[in-house]
Amino acid sequence: MSALLEQLIDALRVLPGVGPKSAQRMAYHVLERERAGGQRLSEALAAAVEKIGHCERCRDFSETPVCATCASASRDAHLLCVVESPADRLAIEQATGYRGLYYVLQGRLSPLDGIGPRELGLDRLSERLAQGEVQELIIATNPTVEGEATAHYLAQLARQQRVRPSRLAHGVPLGGELEYVDRGTLSHAFGSRSEMVD
Amino acid sequence: MSALLEQLIDALRVLPGVGPKSAQRMAYHVLERERAGGQRLSEALAAAVEKIGHCERCRDFSETPVCATCASASRDAHLLCVVESPADRLAIEQATGYRGLYYVLQGRLSPLDGIGPRELGLDRLSERLAQGEVQELIIATNPTVEGEATAHYLAQLARQQRVRPSRLAHGVPLGGELEYVDRGTLSHAFGSRSEMVD
Ligand SMILES: [Zn+2]
Ligand SMILES: [Zn+2]
């Protein structure tokens, strides 16, 4: 087989869920029918990897120092919703009518993996809460063991700064990943979030 | 969402079997955990799309005018195996001990789609058979209606040039795609191919 083709098949396996057989199918498909699309994908990948960093306000992916959501004057800065990942943020944005701001942890507390408050930028979140603009911290971590532990830590952090912590209502299935919850369930859970009392 | 991220998600959908949700998952995965791999994939795609063409002898993908298999002195030039696609060629190469040469149609006869003998390079295949080196034309088109029609056309072509046509043995499931046949079945079918009489 062509060395370049072998390199392409190998490189495609960086994508999640792509094994040797589907990598091969993808490579052949691009070469047989989608060369222009393959070229476009190559350029989009290079640009994304090079230029997309993290928003300095919310830590979501952004190609500008401050992302469009954080820079928007039409979002309600009294509400701050904390999520684990950009995918969770997007799921909430798409499923609900939420017009506040976000904070993306890019992870969850996991002491065994060396992920503590500092790695999740919680020192900067705490400073932000101290500034007094945020009135409610909507905690939307995943309903997993580590997500729950992270939620409790965040609730304490909020209370220390006299910010009201709230949590998505039950309805999000236990042990599930927020990203894969259907829009209806997620929207309902978001709407009936409850204040966290210890 | 970042415009570059949106472009990446959109561009990923050029890959077969990748819908909006998995494109999104792939983009986030690359940005969160695999930036170096994403860069490598970008380069591999660009190189493949730009430099991989078709071997002028067998029409398989190749980055050189004549592919390594066709250029090899250790392959038996008396045997020529005709397949529909590069993936079929690879499946036979991996499953069997075949040491002859290949001819890749890059399609199958399909008059309704305007794909006739010329589009499959059968004029050049005929010239090659006329040169007298090939003794057996192993026809390994897919066992579909169009694949069978193509096989019959190829068998006639072979006989006209006094080349013996043969067909893979039954064992390849009818209506299936060669590419997805398990190695054992494919190897057996290849080994017990029969001469085409008719
Ligand atoms: Zn932001
Ligand atoms: Zn070749």
Side-chain angles (χ1 to χ4, degrees), chain B residues 72-80 98-101 133 135:
Chain B
S72 166
S74 71
R75 308 286 304 208
D76 182 352
H78 298 126
L79 299 175
L80 188 62
Y98 180 61
R99 297 296 302 161
L101 296 172
E133 194 169 32
Q135 291 168 359

Side-chain angles (χ1 to χ4, degrees), chain A residues 1-5 7-8 11-12 14-16 18 21 24-26 28-32 34-35 37-49 51-54 61-63 85-87 90 106 179-180, chain B residues 1-5 7-8 11-12 14-16 18 21 24-26 28-32 34-35 37-49 51-54 61-63 85-87 90 106 179-180:
Chain A
M1 193 195 298
S2 145
L4 290 176
L5 183 53
Q7 280 162 30
L8 174 57
L12 279 163
V14 76
L15 301 174
V18 176
K21 194 78 191 173
Q24 183 193 310
R25 201 158 47 89
M26 286 174 168
Y28 282 135
H29 178 85
V30 166
L31 288 173
E32 280 166 18
E34 293 279 8
R35 291 196 178 224
Q39 182 61 45
R40 208 162 54 238
L41 175 54
S42 165
E43 287 158 15
L45 268 170
V49 163
K51 293 180 187 151
I52 297 179
H54 295 279
F61 289 128
S62 176
E63 63 208 70
S85 72
L90 185 63
Q106 303 280 2
E179 182 183 350
Y180 300 104
Chain B
M1 196 196 294
S2 146
L4 291 177
L5 183 53
Q7 280 162 31
L8 174 57
L12 279 163
V14 76
L15 301 174
V18 176
K21 193 77 190 176
Q24 183 193 307
R25 200 158 47 90
M26 287 173 168
Y28 282 135
H29 178 85
V30 167
L31 288 173
E32 281 165 17
E34 293 279 7
R35 291 197 179 224
Q39 183 61 44
R40 208 162 53 236
L41 176 54
S42 165
E43 287 158 15
L45 268 168
V49 163
K51 293 182 187 149
I52 296 180
H54 295 280
F61 290 128
S62 176
E63 62 207 73
S85 72
L90 184 63
Q106 301 280 1
E179 181 183 351
Y180 299 106

Side-chain angles (χ1 to χ4, degrees), chain B residues 79-90:
Chain B
L79 299 175
L80 188 62
C81 177
V82 186
V83 292
E84 293 183 19
S85 72
D88 292 341
R89 179 209 168 282
L90 184 63

Side-chain angles (χ1 to χ4, degrees), chain B residues 32-183:
Chain B
E32 281 165 17
R33 280 186 284 273
E34 293 279 7
R35 291 197 179 224
Q39 183 61 44
R40 208 162 53 236
L41 176 54
S42 165
E43 287 158 15
L45 268 168
V49 163
E50 189 194 328
K51 293 182 187 149
I52 296 180
H54 295 280
C55 169
E56 58 193 37
R57 295 271 297 159
C58 72
R59 295 166 52 106
D60 191 15
F61 290 128
S62 176
E63 62 207 73
T64 46
V66 173
C67 76
T69 303
C70 288
S72 166
S74 71
R75 308 286 304 208
D76 182 352
H78 298 126
L79 299 175
L80 188 62
C81 177
V82 186
V83 292
E84 293 183 19
S85 72
D88 292 341
R89 179 209 168 282
L90 184 63
I92 288 176
E93 185 74 3
Q94 289 176 339
T96 73
Y98 180 61
R99 297 296 302 161
L101 296 172
Y102 293 95
Y103 197 82
V104 182
L105 299 173
Q106 301 280 1
R108 63 202 90 175
L109 289 178
S110 179
L112 293 177
D113 302 317
I115 300 174
R118 212 191 155 68
E119 283 67 33
L120 302 182
L122 299 192
D123 40 355
R124 282 173 48 209
L125 175 61
S126 184
E127 285 166 27
R128 179 159 170 187
L129 297 181
Q131 288 162 13
E133 194 169 32
V134 177
Q135 291 168 359
E136 179 182 354
L137 189 73
I138 303 171
I139 301 171
T141 52
N142 283 312
T144 58
V145 174
E146 289 178 340
E148 292 290 341
T150 307
H152 279 279
Y153 189 96
L154 287 165
Q156 284 184 313
L157 207 76
R159 286 192 206 95
Q160 281 165 13
Q161 307 295 347
R162 297 171 206 280
V163 171
R164 202 166 68 244
S166 65
R167 187 97 177 88
L168 297 207
H170 278 301
V172 176
L174 276 167
E177 298 278 328
L178 221 59
E179 181 183 351
Y180 299 106
V181 173
D182 69 282
R183 289 168 73 123

Side-chain angles (χ1 to χ4, degrees), chain A residues 38-107:
Chain A
Q39 182 61 45
R40 208 162 54 238
L41 175 54
S42 165
E43 287 158 15
L45 268 170
V49 163
E50 188 194 329
K51 293 180 187 151
I52 297 179
H54 295 279
C55 168
E56 59 192 37
R57 296 273 294 160
C58 73
R59 296 168 50 109
D60 192 13
F61 289 128
S62 176
E63 63 208 70
T64 47
V66 174
C67 77
T69 303
C70 287
S72 165
S74 71
R75 307 287 304 210
D76 182 352
H78 297 127
L79 298 175
L80 188 63
C81 177
V82 186
V83 292
E84 292 183 17
S85 72
D88 292 341
R89 180 209 167 282
L90 185 63
I92 288 176
E93 185 74 5
Q94 288 175 341
T96 73
Y98 181 63
R99 297 297 301 160
L101 297 173
Y102 293 95
Y103 196 81
V104 182
L105 299 174
Q106 303 280 2

